[in-house]
Structure formats: C-alpha cells, structure tokens
Amino acid sequence: MGSTPGHPNGGGIGRRDLIKRSAALGLAALPAAGFLSACASGGGAGGSKVEKGEVTKTNPLGVNGTAALEVVIFDGGFGQQYAIDAERKYNAAFPGAPKVTHKATQKIQSELQPRFNGGTPPDLIDNSGAEQMDMGVLVGKKQLADLTPLLDAPSIDDPGRKVRDTLRPGIVEMGRFDGAPVRVLYYAYTVYGVWYSRTALDRLDARYPETWDEMLALCEKAKKQGVAGWTYAGKHPYYLPFSLYPFIAKIGGREVLESIDNLEPNAWKHPAVKAAFEAYDELQRKGYVLKGTPGLDHIQSQTAWTKGRALFIPNGSWVENEAAGTMPEDFDLAVAAPSGLDASDRMPFGTLWASGGEPFIVPAKARNVEGGMEQLRIMLGEESSRNFTRQVKSLTAFDGGTDGIELTPGLESGLAALEKAGENVVNPRLPDWYVKLQKEQIGVAGLGEMMAGRLTPAEAVGRIQGFADRAAQDPSVRKYRHR
Amino acid sequence: MQHGKYRFIAGFLAAPLALYALFVVWPFVQSIYYSFTDWTGLSPDFSLVGLDNYARLWDDDVFWASLRHSLLFALLLPVLTIGLALFFAFMINVGGRPRRGAAVSGVRGSSFYKIAYFFPQVLSIAIVALLFQFAYNPESGAINSGLRAVGLGGVQPLWLGDPDLALWCVMAVLVWSTVGFFVVLFSAGMASIPRDFYEAALLDGAGRITTFFRITLPLLRDTIQSGWVYMGILALGAESFAVVQIMTTGPGGPDYSTTVLVLYVYQSAFRDGAAAYATTIGVALLVVTLAFAAAVMRLGRRERLEY
C-alpha cells in the first residue's frame, strides 16, 4: 500500500527486514518504557510531613488539628467496628480535621507494601493477619516511628498517668525490637493455653489436671468413653507452642525460652525441652490425640473439639469468637495454664503465655505521625478499650476496661488465669522475631512431624536445633535478643 | 515513498511492541536485576550483593524440594490430564458402539457426560481446593467417611497430613478440575475430523483402539500440543500455587512434601520479607518454564497435516 511504482527499488520491504527493524524499534522503546514504569523500588521522595500542631494539655502530642489522618485496619477476627468508633472520637477531638480516612482489608501486605516502597504509607496500621508485614524487616529498614512520645504522653482518662503506666505487663517490652525505641503497640491482649469445656470435664467427673500424671489418667478415662484427650490444628502445628512453650518454661524456668528466642547454641537441647516434647509425644503414642488430627486445619480441629470429640486444644483467646458458630450453648469454655510435669518443675502451676496481639504501627514516613499516635492514645483510653472488649470478646493492652460489661465464659476464665499466673506470665518472642523459623520450621517440620508420629522427640529436638542454628548463622535474618 | 511505507508499518508495530516491552520484557529485566540485590520488599533502599542470592539458592534444601515437585507437576500433570481427557473425548465422540443411523457416535449419554466433565471448570480453583480440603478431612471428610461406610474403617489415611500422600492428593485435585476443559477442547478438535475417515477405518475392520491411535491421535496433534503447553504453564504457575496454598499443611508441608516453586516465591516475598531472594527463585522458575516450552515445541515440530 505504501510503496509507489515510482521508487527505484520498488520491490517493497522484505519480511526479514521488517522484523529486524521492528525489533530495533522495540529495543529503543525499552528504556523509555523503563522511564515510564513506576519502578518497584523507585519512588522514595514521596510524602512530606504535615506541620506539627501546638502542644497543649489536651493535645500532648502536638497533633495538627487540620491535617488528614489515614488508618488501615486488618479486617479479621476482630472486625473493624472498634476502630471506626475510635476514629469518630478522633474527629470529635479535632473538629478541624477532615473525616479520618478508614480502610479495612485482609490483604495488609499486598496493599501496603507498595506504599512503603513508594514512601507514602498511611498514618496508622493494624499489621495483622496472614498477610502481616514482617516487623523485624520493617524495623531493620527504619520504616517504623518510635512510639515513645505516645507512651510518655498522659493517658486520655487521667492526665496524671502516662500511657505506659496504664498498659498490661509486657506490652511495652514487646514493642521493642532494636533497643530503647518502642516500634509496635500490640492492642489486643491474648491469653494462650489449653482450652476446654468445663461441661465436658464435668461429664467425666474430672477437673483440669495440674500434673502430667493426672493428665494422662484423664486422657485414659476419656479414651474409654470414646473421647480423645487432645486435638490441635494439625495443618498449622504452630498452634502447639501455645501450650508447649509455657510448659517448657514451667519445667525449666523462663530462661529456657529466652535462650531459645535468642537463638543461642543448643538452646533446644535443654533437658526441659526434651521432657516437654516427650510428654506431648506420649499423648500421641498412647492414642490420646484425636485420630486424623494431623490432617485437620484450625477450624476443623476446633469443630471436632466443640463437638466433644476431644477434651483439650492448644489455642489463644480468639477461639471463643472464632469457634462461636459451632460451640454448644452449655459448652462453658475455659482456659487453663499447661499442666506441670512433676514436683521438680521450676515454675508453679499457672505459668501462662499471655501477650499482645494485633500489632499497631505508625510508619516513620507517614505524613501525620502525631495523628497516628493520637489515634492510638484514644484507643488506649478506657472507653475505647471497653468498647473493643464488648464487641470482640478480647482484652486490650489497656489494663482494665472489663468493669461494667458482661464477661463471656472464655474471657472470664482468661482473666482468672491471668490473675492466677500473676508474675508467672511468659512471652516467647519467636513468633514475632523469626516467623519462618516459628511457623514453617519448628511448627510444621518439627512439632507437626513429631505429633504425627513420624519423628521421635529426640529427632524433633535435633531437627529444630538445626533450623535455629541455620537462622542464627544466616546473615540475611536480622537478630533480636531479650534484654 | 519507500520511506513512508516503513513509517506506516512502524506506526502499527510501535504501540504493541512498546506495551509488550513495558509490561512483559521490562518486569523480567527488573526481576533479574533485583535477584542481585538484598531488597526486602518493605523499603525502597537496597544494595547490590552480587551472586549471594544464587549461592544461597544452591544450598537451600527447600528450593530443591520445590523444584522437584514443580518438575513432577510439569511432567506428570499434562500426561495424566491430557491422557484422561483424550480418552473421555474419544468415548464421548466416536468411541460408542455403532448404532443404527450413525456409524460413528459417542457412548450412550455422551451429551450428559460432556456437561458433567466441564462442570468443574465453572468453579474457581480456590473453591475447588476448599471443597477438596473438606473431602480430605481425615476425621469427618467425605473420603474417609465413605471408606468407613463400606466397611473399610481400618483404612483411614491422613491424606493431606501424610507426606507420602499429600502431593498426590493435590495433583488429583488439579487433574479433576482441569480435565473437563480438555475434554471440550479435544471434542471440538475431533468434531473437525471428517467422519469419512472413521467410516473408512470401520469398513476396513479397525477397532476402537486402532482408530484412536491411527486416526484421532495423529489428526489432533496440534490441539494436543497446545493443550500440553497450557497444562504445563498451569502446573508450574498460578493453579498449582492456589491448591498448595489453600489445601496443604503449613502450607507447603507436611515436611516440605508439597512445596512448589511458585509457593516458595510467594512465601519468600510476602512472608519472609526477602523479595530479592524471591526474584532469584523466580529466575529459576523462568528457566524451568522456558525449558519446558522449548522441549514441547521441539518434540512437537512436524509438518502440518491438511485435511
């Protein structure tokens, strides 16, 4: 079409020629395209900060009263209503600010990772759920603001008390990753342990066993009636530590868990670890674990348990909400600290794992850092905290907030367990510091295999120690220590 | 005016080539570049680390397990799925006993089967994986309950909880969910083979097996080849990720028995905050995929039959 007869070489363009030329064109287009494409790790310049407001008695953080605030909430077991309620309070406190931009998602990482890369993260994030962003990496890359100003600000209820003095034990310590600064505020407070139905134990004319011999005897009794002693999330065996880790601490003292968290050489070779592993292995060997458990996921195992097919399940306080659908009216849910091994245990019965959940972070590059912290300060007030507990049946980091609301059986028993534990609350940090080690390696490849009867306790210990050693030597894994 | 002709053609080619370069070539170049860095994926700063990621890959047992499983998927899934689909399509279209009126026809009820086989295709793979997860529940799932019902209460495998079975359980789900598509694809292919060929073969006394191997298979060659490539991509890519991620222990377990390359890419990038390492695994996956496509193309090269 384009060629005209008048041209000297009127033969037109050869096919080969055309391909060559268009390829050259494509190559030329490439750098230009690169210029256009928002390079995944380009950006950087991004968000400028809003101007700081005036510090007053009612505005101790110096929030800019006219600046916008953006909050992203993980829309999981706790929903998002509690956050929306707290955001209304923010707007009431700062009428000059536009309505808080609220976003709820289950895909924290997919939605926020690009914004961290681009340097324009939101002001407050509930970094929770399956798509939680690795906080060790975020801290290592200096992406999180120091929340110390928030902790030192007066609480919203009582100007005479600092926020840090209103929190439950361990919350501030948990938020420390790289020395003094507090990078994360865990808003929910979770009680881990052995969960059971009081009704089911009554039926067996039993009470919760405080020693391992009693535990075995009770399991035997239940087995004769066709009920298994234990079940667990077989496809997520990293639920087992919820009762196993405090069990280890009870046998050998909390230092054992700390040296495990610190990835010290031979930390897992401690006799207390082996004793605890052997005790759990015995449950499996004697047939006290519900048949088929290694093939059940968390929901399936919880359902088998609420149906009365097994007595005990290692879990966290969210189970009351999560399993509510299948839990009979008269279930009478309760949580207990792990049964002890014998009289030589280093810590008393009642030693319990309790710690913060729902990690809230304020990005260092957020536009409105003060606003993000102020929103947290509001949420840590008694009224917001009570609202959360009422809505989702879970405690918050605020020490209190349970007066004047009707407590559900699980919540009440959790509070009682905390009271019984007193000082003896342990807080293993592996799940936050070394996610892969905790879930995939210790959980699935170690404990999961042992509880399925495919590894002996000694083999499991050796294998897990190997994983821990490899993590300790891996320069790409950032290390944290108890201090 | 020769010059004008070039410009005219280039005008047509520039836009698609630019788009292709922007959205296909450039991401490839980028991810290969990132595999030489220590980018975490959670912050814009990173530095070049040379071949560190590749050295780590070499010593990573989980990577080799993933590679093994992905290769197994890429080799076995197409054979199983396409073999089954060919058999079903043949039976539906030409495999029936000769009946009055039509020398060549499908088995009785073939139109029903055609729909039944295609049915899984309308379900999203995520739902299929969830459904099978219930079926594989060793405690109260359909399969073990079925076994108990027929008196096989002693045979109660853990299915997804057993490292020797888990990978096969996953593979069975993929075969189940994709075979219907190929039945329809091959049925369409068979419909375009002239009936006379079959009638002639039947007159010469050829049985069903002979007609299948001598007529159907050679004339469907092109269709099968593209099906093979498609199935291989599916086995290496998103589909295998979805089922492993949704169904298996961990996911990827038990004991790393079901982990595949795509899952490992995902876990490295989105769980471990090691985006650079993830792109390194991605480069390995790219090599495997290219090798697979090259092998299929080479094996399938042949003159086209016209009919």
Side-chain angles (χ1 to χ4, degrees):
Chain A
M1 285 206 282
S3 70
T4 46
H7 197 275
N9 305 328
I13 320 160
R15 183 167 157 268
R16 195 167 287 276
D17 236 17
L18 180 68
I19 291 170
K20 255 194 263 171
R21 277 165 213 223
S22 48
L25 195 77
L27 281 178
L30 202 128
F35 182 71
L36 286 174
S37 81
C39 161
S41 56
S48 52
K49 303 265 180 216
V50 300
E51 217 165 286
K52 217 172 151 167
E54 197 190 332
V55 176
T56 64
K57 228 176 214 170
T58 51
N59 185 7
L61 291 164
V63 177
N64 180 334
T66 56
L69 179 72
E70 186 186 356
V71 180
V72 178
I73 295 296
F74 169 68
D75 189 8
F78 293 143
Q80 50 169 310
Q81 189 55 43
Y82 72 92
I84 296 175
D85 294 343
E87 285 155 16
R88 279 205 196 103
K89 284 176 177 286
Y90 182 93
N91 275 125
F94 301 98
K99 189 173 181 302
V100 175
T101 312
H102 172 90
K103 181 155 198 191
T105 176
Q106 300 204 351
K107 306 217 153 282
I108 293 288
Q109 178 130 24
S110 338
E111 295 208 5
L112 297 182
Q113 190 161 345
R115 296 189 56 188
F116 272 95
N117 273 317
T120 56
D123 305 309
L124 180 65
I125 301 164
D126 172 13
N127 183 25
S128 189
E131 276 209 20
Q132 178 180 69
M133 293 175 287
D134 189 308
M135 277 172 295
V137 176
L138 284 173
V139 172
K141 289 288 173 184
K142 305 206 178 349
Q143 292 288 321
L144 303 186
D146 179 9
L147 302 177
T148 306
L150 162 70
L151 296 172
D152 288 334
S155 98
I156 208 131
D157 305 307
D158 177 3
R161 284 175 84 198
K162 288 180 178 176
V163 168
R164 72 166 72 237
D165 299 327
T166 66
L167 302 179
R168 289 185 190 275
I171 291 289
V172 173
E173 192 46 49
M174 271 187 89
R176 293 210 167 106
F177 280 73
D178 55 344
V182 174
R183 304 289 181 185
V184 180
L185 198 124
Y186 293 83
Y187 186 62
Y189 196 70
T190 306
V191 176
Y192 302 92
V194 183
W195 295 78
Y196 63 96
S197 153
R198 284 204 189 92
T199 318
L201 288 201
D202 284 348
R203 228 175 275 141
L204 286 166
D205 209 13
R207 54 182 197 90
Y208 182 79
E210 294 195 5
T211 69
W212 202 250
D213 287 335
E214 283 172 40
M215 172 59 82
L216 294 176
L218 176 55
C219 288
E220 184 62 39
K221 196 168 171 186
K223 191 183 177 187
K224 288 201 176 111
Q225 302 201 8
V227 175
W230 287 63
T231 188
Y232 60 91
K235 286 165 88 178
H236 314 289
Y238 41 85
Y239 277 51
L240 283 164
F242 296 152
S243 59
L244 181 65
Y245 285 178
F247 187 33
I248 292 172
K250 183 175 182 330
I251 300 171
R254 63 169 84 232
E255 312 80 58
V256 186
L257 289 186
E258 281 176 11
S259 66
I260 284 174
D261 284 344
N262 289 341
L263 302 182
E264 282 164 22
N266 292 323
W268 290 91
K269 298 273 168 83
H270 193 286
V273 176
K274 190 145 181 277
F277 275 37
E278 274 166 358
Y280 271 49
D281 184 57
E282 195 174 358
L283 293 176
Q284 172 268 121
R285 263 188 299 115
K286 292 198 165 153
Y288 298 155
V289 175
L290 178 67
K291 244 183 136 210
T293 292
L296 302 180
D297 70 8
H298 57 302
I299 300 291
Q300 291 165 345
S301 65
Q302 283 163 198
T303 305
W305 165 72
T306 52
K307 279 186 184 160
R309 314 255 300 116
L311 293 179
F312 302 114
I313 192 167
N315 223 314
S317 39
W318 62 80
V319 71
E320 183 163 37
N321 219 14
E322 197 170 52
T326 57
M327 202 178 281
E329 281 286 306
D330 63 345
F331 194 74
D332 205 3
L333 177 69
V335 59
S339 316
L341 192 63
D342 55 42
S344 68
D345 287 357
R346 297 275 299 278
M347 292 176 83
F349 176 72
T351 300
L352 188 73
W353 180 356
S355 65
E358 295 301 290
F360 275 74
I361 51 177
V362 177
K365 289 182 182 157
R367 275 177 64 79
N368 191 357
V369 170
E370 294 80 27
M373 288 194 210
E374 176 67 16
Q375 178 65 52
L376 271 179
R377 198 171 75 98
I378 292 171
M379 288 170 60
L380 289 169
E382 182 165 10
E383 204 183 321
S384 297
S385 172
R386 189 185 299 130
N387 188 34
F388 179 85
T389 304
R390 189 189 303 124
Q391 281 179 13
V392 304
K393 305 180 191 131
S394 168
L395 300 172
T396 71
F398 176 75
D399 194 359
T402 51
D403 307 330
I405 48 176
E406 201 185 318
L407 296 176
T408 53
L411 197 52
E412 200 172 356
S413 123
L415 274 173
L418 276 177
E419 201 160 301
K420 179 157 176 61
E423 288 289 292
N424 299 312
V425 169
V426 293
N427 187 356
R429 302 310 311 281
L430 281 180
D432 288 319
W433 290 351
Y434 309 109
V435 178
K436 178 178 181 169
L437 177 64
Q438 164 73 10
K439 287 193 168 175
E440 175 184 310
Q441 300 183 324
I442 296 170
V444 179
L447 296 175
E449 289 301 290
M450 182 184 87
M451 290 306 280
R454 294 187 291 258
L455 286 183
T456 66
E459 284 166 347
V461 167
R463 200 176 210 192
I464 290 173
Q465 184 63 55
F467 288 133
D469 290 344
R470 230 174 298 153
Q473 285 150 14
D474 185 345
S476 70
V477 175
R478 200 186 152 87
K479 307 298 186 306
Y480 302 94
R481 290 186 69 86
H482 281 276
R483 289 142 1 97
Chain B
M1 280 306 283
Q2 183 75 347
H3 189 67
K5 183 159 90 178
Y6 279 131
R7 226 187 301 172
F8 185 77
I9 293 169
F12 273 110
L13 285 174
L17 278 176
L19 284 177
Y20 184 79
L22 176 60
F23 291 112
V24 181
V25 179
W26 185 238
F28 274 109
V29 175
Q30 267 192 327
S31 41
I32 292 170
Y33 167 67
Y34 287 132
S35 71
F36 297 105
T37 70
D38 63 355
W39 183 40
T40 58
L42 288 167
S43 125
D45 36 276
F46 57 84
S47 48
L48 283 168
V49 294
L51 288 170
D52 281 10
N53 285 322
Y54 289 90
R56 190 171 151 201
L57 197 68
W58 188 257
D59 292 328
D60 187 346
D61 296 340
V62 179
F63 165 72
W64 292 108
S66 313
L67 180 65
R68 225 171 19 248
H69 299 147
S70 279
L71 287 177
L72 200 65
F73 270 33
L75 295 178
L76 270 186
L77 267 180
V79 176
L80 287 173
T81 313
I82 290 178
L84 265 179
L86 272 175
F87 172 72
F88 289 147
F90 183 74
M91 295 312 282
I92 286 172
N93 291 289
V94 283
R97 269 173 230 288
R99 256 171 288 168
R100 209 180 324 177
V104 181
S105 67
V107 293
R108 205 182 296 261
S110 60
S111 54
F112 166 75
Y113 288 128
K114 218 185 270 186
I115 294 169
Y117 288 139
F118 193 69
F119 202 67
Q121 196 65 30
V122 304
L123 296 173
S124 108
I125 187 74
I127 291 173
V128 170
L130 266 180
L131 289 177
F132 270 89
Q133 193 187 331
F134 291 128
Y136 282 133
N137 176 340
E139 215 256 323
S140 56
I143 302 177
N144 277 4
S145 302
L147 285 174
R148 275 195 294 267
V150 296
L152 286 169
V155 188
Q156 296 281 294
L158 288 174
W159 300 116
L160 293 164
D162 184 337
D164 298 329
L165 290 178
L167 192 69
W168 303 107
C169 293
V170 171
M171 221 181 266
V173 173
L174 279 175
V175 170
W176 184 86
S177 66
T178 47
V179 79
F181 173 77
F182 291 100
V183 171
V184 173
L185 183 73
F186 295 148
S187 293
M190 285 177 198
S192 69
I193 299 173
R195 298 264 125 171
D196 326 357
F197 292 7
Y198 287 111
E199 281 162 9
L202 286 174
L203 283 178
D204 287 345
R208 277 186 276 192
I209 295 172
T210 322
T211 30
F212 176 76
F213 281 105
R214 293 293 170 85
I215 296 180
T216 313
L217 206 52
L219 292 178
L220 270 182
R221 202 183 166 94
D222 283 347
T223 320
I224 294 172
Q225 193 186 338
S226 32
W228 202 282
V229 174
Y230 177 77
M231 196 61 212
I233 291 169
L234 191 141
L236 288 169
E239 233 82 350
S240 70
F241 168 76
V243 280
V244 171
Q245 164 83 0
I246 294 170
M247 289 173 55
T248 64
T249 302
D255 205 16
Y256 300 107
S257 60
T258 56
T259 178
V260 287
L261 284 176
V262 255
L263 178 79
Y264 200 33
V265 169
Y266 175 83
Q267 287 179 331
S268 298
F270 297 111
R271 184 194 61 193
D272 305 339
Y277 190 56
T279 58
T280 313
I281 305 165
V283 171
L285 182 60
L286 173 70
V287 172
V288 173
T289 317
L290 287 179
F292 175 81
V296 174
M297 288 311 183
R298 178 148 295 243
L299 290 176
R301 190 178 292 167
R302 214 187 52 153
E303 282 302 303
R304 230 190 123 77
L305 279 173
E306 301 279 351
Y307 54 86

